[in-house]
Amino acid sequence: MNPTALIAEDEPLLAQALKAELAAAWPELQIVATAGDGRSAVREALRLLPQVLFFDIRMPGLDGLGAAAELADSWPTDEAPMPQLVFVTAYDEYAARAFEAEAIDYVLKPVQPARLQKTVARLQQALAAQQPSSSASPAVANDEALERTLAQWRQVLAAAGTGATVSATAPSAPLRMIAASDAGGSTVRMVPIDEVLYFEAADKYLRVLTATHEYLIRTPLKQLLTQLDADTFWQVHRAVVVRSAAIESVHRDEAGKLHLTLRGRAEKIPVSRLYAHLFRAM
């Protein structure tokens, strides 16, 4: 059976150009659908379960990063292996260096045939590696393949997020204070970062939660992540970052999904499939 792919690109001419170049570089690949935005890409990917996703990083509404993160949680791994993920990006020197440093698959716009050939070769190798070995049981082989793919997705999302949001200048020191509005929006308070238990993206705002209060800031989560100490704050979901020292317990529900409880907070916080590896030992 021929491998299948889905292209998500909001510019029809560029989507057609990528489709044509893929036909030349990988004639066996079947493009089962094209989508013009992230929401449509998620919907079509879950309907068709392709083996490869080509996602434009910047799309209207839900962008490529958000669409990929959503699919990571909702992909039916009992029906089909998680797909290989390739980001499509306008040429950006910093983003390209970030991808190359991690050996991440990406496609530059406009499509460059030589670069696409490298991506195709990597994809073919990755799809071949998904085939279970004769010495492993099907369950073990599926688990190992899923972990390999999730690890690759984490690399891709991290590299793409870094390349899209950070300049090539040296990183600033971690945040110590946050200027945040109270729930009513009438007062701005200086919140010590040591009091924050978690951050949660909500519409146009980012919720800042302490043990006793909730505040709002307008900084996007992916931008805030570059200002936080990675050993202190862990991303556990595409919309949530928690203080690692505040984690009290980890629960697994009947569907196998993980949830956290934090000291000082009553609510349960979902853990994305992409970040479940952080709690495997627990």
Side-chain angles (χ1 to χ4, degrees):
M1 183 179 295
N2 288 343
T4 57
L6 180 148
I7 294 173
E9 166 61 67
D10 64 318
E11 298 181 56
L13 290 178
L14 292 177
Q16 192 60 37
L18 176 56
K19 188 174 181 180
E21 292 291 348
L22 281 169
W26 195 355
E28 299 81 13
L29 183 68
Q30 180 184 358
I31 307 300
V32 293
T34 58
D37 60 85
R39 283 282 165 226
S40 298
V42 170
R43 183 174 61 251
E44 288 299 284
L46 292 175
R47 182 176 71 87
L48 298 167
L49 303 180
Q51 293 167 281
V52 184
L53 302 173
F54 291 92
F55 275 11
D56 186 8
I57 291 181
R58 291 188 174 91
M59 290 187 288
L62 186 68
D63 64 12
L65 299 176
E70 191 166 309
L71 280 174
D73 267 350
S74 53
W75 192 266
T77 55
D78 55 338
E79 297 179 34
M82 282 194 67
Q84 300 300 307
L85 176 61
V86 179
F87 277 124
V88 182
T89 178
Y91 183 75
D92 178 280
E93 184 178 358
Y94 184 81
R97 287 206 307 270
F99 285 133
E100 291 287 2
E102 298 289 346
I104 294 303
D105 289 316
Y106 68 97
V107 174
L108 293 175
K109 297 190 290 186
V111 180
Q112 301 178 0
R115 184 65 189 79
L116 185 60
Q117 285 284 0
K118 290 183 180 180
T119 294
V120 166
R122 287 176 179 171
L123 290 171
Q124 291 171 334
Q125 184 177 15
L127 291 179
Q130 284 184 337
Q131 301 302 315
S133 64
S134 57
S135 59
S137 69
V140 171
N142 289 340
D143 288 345
E144 290 176 348
L146 177 60
E147 284 307 313
R148 283 197 303 269
T149 305
L150 286 172
Q152 188 239 6
W153 277 50
R154 284 191 292 272
Q155 280 186 301
V156 172
L157 288 168
T162 300
T165 60
V166 183
S167 69
T169 58
S172 58
L175 281 177
R176 294 288 176 252
M177 301 288 289
I178 295 177
S181 302
D182 59 17
S186 58
T187 305
V188 174
R189 301 186 183 277
M190 298 304 296
V191 183
I193 195 71
D194 291 343
E195 294 182 7
V196 177
L197 298 183
Y198 74 99
F199 299 92
E200 182 181 29
D203 297 325
K204 297 180 181 180
Y205 294 92
L206 191 64
R207 299 172 67 210
V208 181
L209 288 300
T210 69
T212 56
H213 292 87
E214 174 180 337
Y215 305 97
L216 299 174
I217 58 177
R218 286 186 175 271
T219 306
L221 184 60
K222 59 185 178 182
Q223 181 180 332
L224 179 71
L225 278 169
T226 67
Q227 305 173 61
L228 296 176
D229 183 344
D231 292 329
T232 301
F233 286 95
W234 295 356
Q235 184 165 15
V236 297
H237 187 275
R238 63 190 175 92
V240 181
V241 175
V242 304
R243 176 179 293 278
S244 58
I247 298 173
E248 183 174 65
S249 58
V250 185
H251 306 270
R252 187 185 300 275
D253 64 20
E254 293 181 356
K257 295 186 177 182
L258 300 182
H259 295 80
L260 304 177
T261 55
L262 303 180
R263 297 179 184 87
R265 302 293 309 188
E267 63 270 28
K268 291 184 178 180
I269 298 173
V271 177
S272 167
R273 182 185 282 162
L274 280 172
Y275 305 104
H277 69 289
L278 295 171
F279 308 100
R280 188 170 294 118
M282 302 174 69

